[in-house]
Amino acid sequence: YRMYGCFIPLQKRDVLRHLERKFHTDFKVIKSQTVIVQKPVPSFQVVYKKHTLTLDDLSTLADQNWLNDQVINMYGELILESSHHQVHFLNSFFHRQLMTKVDLFSKSLLLVPIHLEVHWCLVTADIEKKKICLYDSQGNALQKVNILKYLMTEAKEKQHTDFESGWEIIPQQTNENDCGVFILEYSRCLALAKPLQFSQRDIPKIRKRIYKELCDCKLHEQP
């Protein structure tokens, strides 16, 4: 609990290390072949609305693993709820299905996670200021992100003529590691109007906080 803020370990090795320190001896995991089970034991899952996370999904928060789509999208849902739906977090499959039933122009901020093969970046669209910002740890994703064209199409189809021009695109923020964690923390700070006051050294602590928030299905107040 002190390590992760939760009683659910990220890895089996965490349990073994705890037992070894507790009892000053080595432990091994041995699979029993004679166990009789009355009925299958359900595997651990976190279920929230349309999202389901397994321990494998949560384990992507361990060490310096890449976060997967399931973690990104469920955490985005928690951000959306905490912002009282003033912010819209588009699903990470946004690029594959450029359609939404939500009136994007009724929101104050759009958060768009973009997965470029092995790299995550975040595009934000401030609807009131007509400003698009790119938060990218590599700085070369802008030409691949077509959100401006998408917003122009949405504005035209939904007859929001005042949103068809005047947009400003400003690439921002650079980092070298943990891009998935960074985009979630960017999204959280922007959605809750918090300053981006974190750095690479804060990422292990942020990973643990995100892990517990996902298990609890809600965002927590930061200390």
Side-chain angles (χ1 to χ4, degrees):
Y1 184 86
R2 286 194 300 268
M3 183 178 297
Y4 297 115
C6 186
F7 286 113
I8 304 164
L10 284 175
Q11 302 286 347
K12 289 180 181 177
R13 66 172 181 267
D14 296 325
V15 177
L16 293 179
R17 286 174 184 169
H18 173 74
L19 292 174
E20 288 168 358
R21 287 195 300 267
K22 186 76 173 176
F23 297 101
H24 307 289
T25 186
D26 293 333
F27 282 82
K28 293 182 180 180
V29 176
I30 301 175
K31 293 184 178 179
S32 174
Q33 299 179 0
T34 59
V35 175
I36 300 176
V37 181
Q38 294 287 340
K39 55 184 178 181
V41 178
S43 58
F44 174 80
Q45 291 183 336
V46 176
V47 179
Y48 182 71
K49 295 189 175 181
K50 60 183 178 181
H51 305 280
T52 300
L53 295 183
T54 65
L55 274 179
D56 286 339
D57 296 324
L58 289 168
S59 292
T60 65
L61 283 160
D63 303 321
Q64 294 187 14
N65 295 331
W66 296 106
L67 305 193
N68 65 13
D69 289 276
Q70 285 74 21
V71 167
I72 296 288
N73 291 328
M74 179 169 163
Y75 198 74
E77 187 84 41
L78 300 183
I79 290 173
L80 188 153
E81 292 291 333
S82 292
S83 72
H84 305 292
H85 296 270
Q86 293 301 306
V87 171
H88 189 66
F89 189 97
L90 275 76
N91 190 285
S92 66
F93 301 110
F94 166 78
H95 262 334
R96 299 172 216 177
Q97 187 178 9
L98 294 179
M99 296 174 61
T100 176
K101 296 179 180 179
V102 176
D103 182 1
L104 300 181
F105 300 101
S106 68
K107 308 298 179 182
S108 60
L109 180 69
L110 305 183
L111 301 170
V112 188
I114 306 292
H115 195 198
L116 301 172
E117 298 178 356
V118 294
H119 176 63
W120 286 101
C121 66
L122 176 72
V123 172
T124 67
D126 188 317
I127 300 298
E128 294 177 359
K129 295 180 180 178
K130 294 185 178 179
K131 179 183 292 186
I132 294 177
C133 296
L134 173 65
Y135 296 80
D136 176 32
S137 62
Q138 295 180 346
N140 61 3
L142 184 60
Q143 64 273 21
K144 301 179 183 179
V145 179
N146 213 11
I147 186 173
L148 183 59
K149 181 178 179 181
Y150 173 64
L151 286 175
M152 295 302 95
T153 302
E154 282 281 296
K156 186 175 182 179
E157 289 183 356
K158 296 182 179 178
Q159 298 182 342
H160 289 286
T161 57
D162 50 330
F163 289 105
E164 293 186 45
S165 62
W167 291 88
E168 181 182 4
I169 300 176
I170 304 175
Q172 296 181 20
Q173 197 65 38
T174 60
N175 264 297
E176 296 179 357
N177 301 312
D178 300 299
C179 54
V181 183
F182 270 95
I183 70 157
L184 291 185
E185 193 65 4
Y186 292 150
S187 298
R188 177 197 177 105
C189 292
L190 293 168
L192 303 180
K194 302 289 185 182
L196 297 176
Q197 294 180 341
F198 66 95
S199 64
Q200 182 65 49
R201 70 169 178 258
D202 299 310
I203 293 302
K205 178 176 64 177
I206 292 172
R207 280 180 178 268
K208 293 171 186 176
R209 193 203 70 227
I210 291 174
Y211 175 81
K212 189 172 190 304
E213 289 173 325
L214 288 170
C215 289
D216 293 343
C217 296
K218 65 179 182 180
L219 299 189
H220 299 153
E221 288 292 330
Q222 298 190 48

